[in-house]
Amino acid sequence: MAEPDYIEDDNPELIRPQKLINPVKTSRNHQDLHRELLMNQKRGLAPQNKPELQKVMEKRKRDQVIKQKEEEAQKKKSDLEIEL
């Protein structure tokens, strides 16, 4: 890809393009979090890689299975247990 002509000329009237600063990467919170993640990775303490939606869906599925087991236990009660 050819570079533009204005880069070769040292014309003082032209404004030089500058790289934009990413405010997220310059924030202190982001730097601290990145540093902590790097230290945890070196120690072998990787965070759980499951996305939030997947965690919620697994929890719902577990709850549904537990509820089904409880309903089956209710249906299997003997006549004596029902009378009591």
Side-chain angles (χ1 to χ4, degrees), residues 64-78 81:
Q64 187 178 20
V65 169
I66 291 171
K67 187 175 180 181
Q68 286 177 352
K69 287 182 181 179
E70 289 175 354
E71 288 176 359
E72 289 176 6
Q74 290 284 350
K75 290 178 184 177
K76 291 183 180 179
K77 286 188 177 182
S78 66
E81 289 176 340

Side-chain angles (χ1 to χ4, degrees), residues 20-47:
L20 295 175
I21 299 172
N22 187 346
V24 173
K25 289 188 176 183
T26 58
S27 74
R28 189 73 180 152
N29 289 338
H30 178 80
Q31 291 173 357
D32 291 341
L33 178 62
H34 186 67
R35 187 178 308 112
E36 183 178 344
L37 287 172
L38 285 175
M39 287 188 339
N40 286 343
Q41 185 180 10
K42 288 179 184 177
R43 292 182 196 156
L45 303 173

